[in-house]
Amino acid sequence: MYYPYHGTVCLGVNAGGWDNVVVNANSMPGFLELFNTHDASANASTDYSALTIASTLAWGLGYFGMPHIIVRFMSLRSDKDLKKSAKIGISWTVLILIFSVAAGLCEVLMTPVIAAIPSDNPQRDMSTLHSLYAFGVFTVVVISTLFLKIFGTQNWMYLTMFLALLPIIAAVLFMLSPMPDMKPAENAPGLERTRKRTFAMALCVGCIFFGSCAENAMSNWISSFMENALHIDKAFGDILGMAMFAVLLGIARISYAKFGKNIMRVLLFGMAGAAVCYITAGLSTNVVFAFIACILTGLFTSMLWPGTLIMMEENMPGLGVAAYALMAAGGDMGSSIAPQLLGAVTDTVAASGFAEKLSVTLSLSAEQIGMKAGMLVSAIFPIIGALLLVIIIRHFSKAKS
């Protein structure tokens, strides 16, 4: 991968420098647009065709395992090893896809299991469950950062072997856990009540989606943002940035489990606070303010996922396991879409002529401006989430009255 990338750089320089390359790219309509593409035959901007979308998806899915395939091809002793190399590459692809599916199922299945277990205070149990996720993130970030810093990135495989033990331990603990008898709901709701619950359920799924977007856009990009946009050392940024984000996430969830009440106000406050943090990180030229804003996002987004589940249980009790699985799926979708959108905005803005002109005015690089633009766009998630919460609060208040 080293030679193609640097070959592209050399071609750009030989073409007359980066200014000419950027001018040429901007002269092609649709070439640098996010939702359109350039039609060379008509020299115009056109929408993505179904074939283009399918081809791009195929390329993206085919990327899984590609670095391992390239390494195997580079190390072939002869063309006779080509089939063996292909099998190794395909095996990596299958294993990565299995890991992705399994990780998603853990969240989809674990939440309804915890919710179905009889408890004096299931809402607080749910908050405690999600706090363990936060401390798990903190532990992995600290251990991984220190390991790679001390032993070097060339020994990454030993870290992977250690991390592989964690799901095995979790599986053993789950098998040994006593499971009480689950009692299904005795009375089925009528048609009119079912329709109202369906609408309320859709509102809750939307709320957890935007809450997950607000949490995971920052948690996925905080390390890169601190390193590339704020120019903070990666090890320092990971430990005092991403790790502190996770610590605040966990502390806030445990605090609610012990002392929390009025979950709707907590959710509304969290959405508003997260929006302010994203806007501050995107607009502030002060490194300290932007750094603090990134960390505080963990505090404000801490209850957006588990809090929506608590709100649903308080206002629609006895929904059953399927409702929790649907909510988990909505949250997982948000954790996938938001980081990808932030990355797409960052790349698009950084490559634009607008970022190049603004970089001179603000004394920032195009990459820094791109990342800050991504943070500003991500603020839309908690803003929409706050507006949706206002609708939810009115809906449940009307239903109770």
Side-chain angles (χ1 to χ4, degrees):
M1 300 297 284
Y2 174 90
Y3 295 102
Y5 288 147
H6 286 75
T8 304
V9 173
C10 293
L11 288 174
V13 174
N14 291 332
W18 285 113
D19 292 339
N20 288 344
V21 172
V22 172
V23 170
N24 183 52
N26 287 326
S27 67
M28 294 185 288
F31 186 76
L32 296 177
E33 294 180 19
L34 182 61
F35 299 105
N36 295 295
T37 186
H38 175 67
D39 185 355
S41 60
N43 192 29
S45 176
T46 61
D47 296 333
Y48 285 106
S49 64
L51 179 61
T52 303
I53 295 173
S55 301
T56 306
L57 288 174
W59 183 90
L61 292 174
Y63 186 80
F64 292 115
M66 188 176 289
H68 307 89
I69 298 175
I70 292 176
V71 170
R72 294 301 302 179
F73 283 168
M74 291 170 61
S75 60
L76 289 178
R77 289 182 293 269
S78 69
D79 57 355
K80 296 180 180 179
D81 293 333
L82 191 60
K83 290 185 177 180
K84 179 181 178 182
S85 177
K87 292 178 180 178
I88 293 175
I90 293 173
S91 299
W92 272 107
T93 302
V94 172
L95 289 174
I96 291 173
L97 291 176
I98 290 175
F99 168 80
S100 301
V101 173
L105 285 175
C106 285
E107 168 60 28
V108 171
L109 298 177
M110 186 59 68
T111 297
V113 167
I114 298 297
I117 294 177
S119 172
D120 294 333
N121 199 327
Q123 291 86 358
R124 292 185 177 181
D125 290 344
M126 187 66 65
S127 183
T128 303
L129 168 69
H130 284 266
S131 71
L132 298 178
Y133 159 79
F135 292 122
V137 171
F138 169 79
T139 303
V140 170
V141 169
V142 172
I143 291 178
S144 300
T145 301
L146 294 178
F147 179 91
L148 296 176
K149 194 74 173 178
I150 296 173
F151 299 103
T153 55
Q154 68 274 14
N155 293 311
W156 63 269
M157 66 287 296
Y158 300 110
L159 177 63
T160 304
M161 292 173 63
F162 165 73
L163 295 177
L165 295 175
L166 301 182
I168 296 175
I169 296 173
V172 172
L173 291 175
F174 185 78
M175 287 187 292
L176 296 177
S177 299
M179 287 292 174
D181 294 332
M182 307 295 181
K183 295 182 179 180
E186 297 178 358
N187 299 322
L191 180 60
E192 183 64 25
R193 189 182 176 193
T194 300
R195 288 176 179 175
K196 291 181 179 179
R197 280 198 165 193
T198 300
F199 178 69
M201 189 71 210
L203 291 176
C204 290
V205 171
C207 184
I208 201 171
F209 170 80
F210 288 110
S212 176
C213 286
E215 175 188 334
N216 287 281
M218 182 63 77
S219 66
N220 278 264
W221 279 90
I222 186 171
S223 178
S224 297
F225 182 78
M226 288 188 172
E227 181 182 7
N228 299 312
L230 305 183
H231 291 166
I232 297 175
D233 178 71
K234 179 170 177 57
F236 182 85
D238 283 350
I239 293 178
L240 290 184
M242 188 173 181
M244 286 305 300
F245 174 96
V247 168
L248 289 179
L249 201 72
I251 290 176
R253 288 173 177 176
I254 287 180
S255 298
Y256 184 88
K258 289 183 175 295
F259 313 108
K261 58 181 180 179
N262 203 332
I263 189 59
M264 289 187 179
R265 289 185 181 179
V266 172
L267 289 173
L268 197 57
F269 176 76
M271 290 287 190
V276 171
C277 287
Y278 274 108
I279 293 172
T280 303
L283 293 179
S284 178
T285 56
N286 187 293
V287 174
V288 176
F289 286 165
F291 181 85
I292 293 175
C294 291
I295 296 174
L296 286 179
T297 308
L299 175 66
F300 288 113
T301 61
S302 59
M303 289 304 299
L304 297 185
W305 186 313
T308 306
L309 297 173
I310 294 172
M311 177 181 67
M312 180 189 71
E313 177 63 26
E314 286 182 351
N315 292 276
M316 296 182 291
L319 280 177
V321 174
Y324 286 94
L326 183 61
M327 292 286 285
D332 288 338
M333 186 177 296
S335 66
S336 173
I337 292 176
Q340 293 185 54
L341 179 61
L342 195 157
V345 171
T346 297
D347 292 341
T348 303
V349 173
S352 67
F354 170 76
E356 184 180 3
K357 295 177 182 178
L358 194 61
S359 63
V360 178
T361 306
L362 300 178
S363 299
L364 298 172
S365 67
E367 184 181 24
Q368 287 177 298
I369 293 174
M371 284 197 158
K372 285 182 171 292
M375 288 293 175
L376 285 175
V377 171
S378 297
I380 195 66
F381 297 123
I383 291 174
I384 296 177
L387 296 175
L388 184 60
L389 268 168
V390 173
I391 298 174
I392 292 174
I393 292 172
R394 289 181 178 178
H395 174 79
F396 285 136
S397 297
K398 184 178 179 181
K400 288 180 179 180
S401 61

